[in-house]
Amino acid sequence: MLSVRDLTVAGRHSDLVPRTSFEARRGELLLVRADGQGHRTALALAAAGRLAPTDGTAAWGSHSGKPVRDLKGLRRVGAFVDAPAINEAELHLRVKDLVAEDLALLPRRHRGPGKPDAWLTVNAFADIADSWAQDLPAARRTELLTALALANPETELLVLDSPDRHSDDPADWLPFLAGTAARGGRPLAVVAVVATFPEHWAGPAAVVGNSIRRLAAQGDLAARPGDLGAPRGDVAARPGDLGAPQGDVAATPGDLAATRGDLALGEGVRA
């Protein structure tokens, strides 16, 4: 389980990530809405352990008491996928070259043969091996980059940066990511940081800036549509409520219209 508690990332003039809390559990896809690409990328980096938060924590696993900041442990299990200008698929590469490059970046103990042909065939991407990365349809792109992230058997958490930027149709990425989270034999925690919630999304959701200090103290961090009207008096965080008062927790169903190679920001290494 990924636990993000009161996490902030400071920018030059204002917070890139205002105080935010959520949980992402194995077997579930969590959508987190943030306004602005810079804000989405900063949150994705911090949630995947590639960027140390200015305040608060992002941690993997169950923690009793005050969470301990453990970026190394989070990087080991977390894959940071498809961030613009950081580790998105390079436009000048063919898919087979992209795959070869990413497989070469795996920890040595998990590397297979140097040539990508076998991986492309086993993972059902042989048909696009000679395609340019920039020409891939949105759905195929998400499938490929997610499969490359999962080539590392230690990956237990996927954090995708703005998968909705490639298509206006959530069907191109939403069902696939939900299915990936719940796959049999290898349940994953999957977080997609998005610009808007897809219409009718009723799964786990959170909004950047929800500032749930009170709920964090109670150990209940998940922003879920079903939390509305709960005895605790949780208030729904609605689109546009960045920096809303404490107590804003869930994005309601009515408000919802969810690697290529992990790159460690600031450390110059890929996990």
Side-chain angles (χ1 to χ4, degrees):
M1 178 177 70
L2 171 67
S3 177
V4 172
R5 301 193 181 201
D6 288 332
L7 182 146
T8 64
V9 176
R12 182 171 299 177
H13 302 295
S14 61
D15 285 341
L16 284 172
V17 181
R19 196 168 298 279
T20 299
S21 300
F22 56 81
E23 283 182 351
R25 297 179 172 88
R26 288 180 184 272
E28 293 183 344
L29 168 63
L30 169 73
L31 304 189
V32 184
R33 187 182 70 77
D35 293 332
Q37 186 59 63
H39 297 268
R40 290 190 289 275
T41 297
L43 175 61
L45 283 164
R50 270 58 179 181
L51 175 64
T54 305
D55 193 16
T57 58
W60 178 255
S62 299
H63 297 270
S64 58
K66 185 177 180 180
V68 177
R69 183 177 294 180
D70 180 16
L71 295 183
K72 183 177 180 180
L74 185 53
R75 284 197 301 270
R76 181 178 59 80
V77 300
F80 174 59
V81 184
D82 196 24
I86 296 179
N87 69 343
E88 63 185 340
E90 296 181 36
L91 303 183
H92 68 280
L93 290 178
R94 294 189 185 275
V95 168
K96 61 184 179 183
D97 299 320
L98 170 65
V99 170
E101 181 180 280
D102 275 25
L103 294 181
L105 294 171
L106 287 174
R108 186 175 301 277
R109 61 189 175 280
H110 300 313
R111 293 178 194 171
K115 294 184 178 180
D117 302 39
W119 188 93
L120 286 162
T121 299
V122 169
N123 290 276
F125 294 112
D127 60 309
I128 60 171
D130 292 317
S131 300
W132 294 103
Q134 65 182 342
D135 294 334
L136 291 180
R140 204 69 169 132
R141 175 193 180 100
T142 299
E143 293 170 4
L144 174 66
L145 299 184
T146 299
L148 283 168
L150 295 177
N152 184 346
E154 296 184 52
T155 298
E156 301 178 63
L157 165 70
L158 293 175
V159 181
L160 293 95
D161 184 353
S162 311
D164 52 340
R165 76 184 188 274
H166 302 301
S167 172
D168 293 331
D169 186 357
D172 286 333
W173 55 271
L174 184 61
F176 172 75
L177 292 182
T180 298
R183 63 172 55 184
R186 192 181 180 182
L188 304 163
V190 180
V191 178
V193 186
V194 297
T196 59
F197 292 121
E199 187 176 5
H200 307 310
W201 172 250
V207 177
V208 166
N210 54 21
S211 301
I212 49 179
R213 280 188 176 277
R214 178 176 60 82
L215 289 183
Q218 297 173 359
D220 184 1
L221 304 178
R224 297 172 179 277
D227 288 341
L228 294 181
R232 298 190 301 269
D234 301 348
V235 180
R238 299 178 180 274
D241 281 351
L242 291 181
Q246 291 185 8
D248 291 353
V249 180
T252 70
D255 292 332
L256 310 180
T259 27
R260 179 179 81 77
D262 301 334
L263 181 60
L265 188 70
E267 301 197 19
V269 296
R270 289 178 182 264

